Amino acid sequence: MKWDSCDPPPQNNISPLRWCIVLLRGMPIALIVSLGLLFTLLLRLVEYPLFGQTRLITPYITQAVCRLSLFLIGIECQVNGRVMRAGGGVVANHCSWIDIFALNAFQRVYFVSKSEVASWPFIGQLAKATGTVFIERNPSKAAEQRSLFASRLQARHKLLFFPEGTSTDGQQILPFKPTLFAAYFDPKLPNNTFLQAICIRYLAPKGQDARFYCWWGDMSFGAHLITTLSVLRQGRVVINFCDPVAVADFKDRKALAAALEKSVKEAHQASVKCW
């Protein structure tokens, strides 16, 4: 299935003035993220022995860091709908590395990520410190991963994953892969487990390509980060929280995945009409 744009957004030449903007934004963001990681690691030394996986304090550091980072980048945030308060699952479409900041900023969630991320320099440490769940794309590990999901959900964690399986150019929603939804049918979980779908959309800065904030395929992270930070007047991210659904209302993982995919697609189409 062909889903992505034929070509990435055009690369703008970055003038000396725009390089100054990159530094003025990038250095404070790097400092804030580093301090957030340090404080989280220090607090976990106390938090873990007392509360284990519950994490009563450190998620608020993550939220503060993400909100402040979005503010420093200059991206306006618009939130529609209500955040699900109960523990359970959250699924969203995936457009950019900015999703991590935007989705963390307004709720306490723990991301589900591929296992390779754990070994990445700095990012891996950051992901571990914030409680990311690492999974392997290996069918033989399915039972083990369902057990891991169940233990985290029993601790009232809200796990967030991207069922499309990849980031896109933001112009459409890919079919949701049902694999990870199987964990929510584990008999160890309470009958009142809920999942909430989120649709995330980006409005590019004036005069820029509509896909400006999106990062997909083999695009360079470094180049995309610099280009994003270099724009003086930024655009907007719109986060649409759909109504939560009860897992008990669906017969299997495929039905559950299809229902949440439909919710995200409807929110995506509605946002296109608004713009």
Side-chain angles (χ1 to χ4, degrees):
M1 178 181 178
K2 181 66 177 176
W3 60 265
D4 60 349
S5 302
C6 296
D7 300 299
Q11 294 294 313
N12 298 322
N13 293 324
I14 300 180
S15 64
L17 175 60
R18 290 180 65 183
W19 271 111
C20 290
I21 296 173
V22 171
L23 293 174
L24 288 173
R25 283 186 174 140
M27 291 177 67
I29 292 171
L31 178 61
I32 289 165
V33 172
S34 298
L35 289 175
L37 174 59
L38 177 61
F39 290 150
T40 297
L41 292 173
L42 291 174
L43 278 173
R44 282 299 287 164
L45 295 175
V46 177
E47 186 182 53
Y48 183 74
L50 292 176
F51 307 110
Q53 291 189 357
T54 304
R55 291 179 179 258
L56 293 180
I57 305 169
T58 50
Y60 292 106
I61 297 177
T62 303
Q63 280 190 278
V65 167
C66 290
R67 286 196 180 195
L68 190 52
S69 296
L70 289 171
F71 172 77
L72 291 171
I73 293 173
I75 297 178
E76 178 186 348
C77 298
Q78 177 182 327
V79 178
N80 301 322
R82 294 184 178 181
V83 176
M84 180 178 70
R85 297 300 179 187
V90 181
V91 298
N93 60 310
H94 191 17
C95 307
S96 174
W97 53 269
I98 306 172
D99 297 348
I100 307 301
F101 291 98
L103 293 170
N104 256 320
F106 300 98
Q107 58 184 334
R108 295 177 59 185
V109 292
Y110 301 90
F111 282 85
V112 177
S113 176
K114 57 185 180 181
S115 58
E116 304 94 278
V117 173
S119 62
W120 291 1
F122 186 72
I123 293 177
Q125 294 300 317
L126 187 63
K128 291 176 184 177
T130 53
T132 297
V133 178
F134 297 103
I135 59 171
E136 295 183 40
R137 296 175 182 176
N138 185 343
S140 66
K141 299 284 187 178
E144 180 182 332
Q145 290 170 3
R146 283 197 298 270
S147 178
L148 175 60
F149 262 58
S151 67
R152 295 292 294 268
L153 291 169
Q154 286 170 343
R156 305 297 291 170
H157 287 188
K158 194 185 297 182
L159 302 181
L160 190 154
F161 61 98
F162 300 113
E164 293 171 297
T166 185
S167 57
T168 74
D169 62 1
Q171 304 307 296
Q172 66 285 299
I173 305 299
L174 299 186
F176 280 13
K177 297 179 180 180
T179 306
L180 291 179
F181 290 95
Y184 292 92
F185 291 88
D186 192 304
K188 297 177 184 176
L189 296 181
N191 292 328
N192 61 343
T193 301
F194 284 81
L195 279 89
Q196 182 171 41
I198 300 175
C199 177
I200 188 165
R201 288 277 294 180
Y202 292 92
L203 181 62
K206 186 175 181 180
Q208 298 292 338
D209 189 287
R211 305 161 297 164
F212 177 79
Y213 289 118
C214 299
W215 176 59
W216 73 93
D218 58 358
M219 293 171 63
S220 166
F221 170 73
H224 190 269
L225 172 65
I226 291 170
T227 300
T228 300
L229 296 180
S230 70
V231 177
L232 179 60
R233 295 185 181 276
Q234 295 284 350
R236 183 170 72 217
V237 56
V238 180
I239 307 165
N240 292 291
F241 289 91
C242 304
D243 292 335
V245 300
V247 175
D249 291 341
F250 299 88
K251 64 178 182 179
D252 55 31
R253 60 189 176 92
K254 291 184 178 180
L256 179 59
L260 292 169
E261 178 187 328
K262 180 181 178 183
S263 294
V264 174
K265 283 184 174 179
E266 289 176 348
H268 186 272
Q269 292 169 356
S271 65
V272 171
K273 292 178 181 177
C274 291
W275 294 354

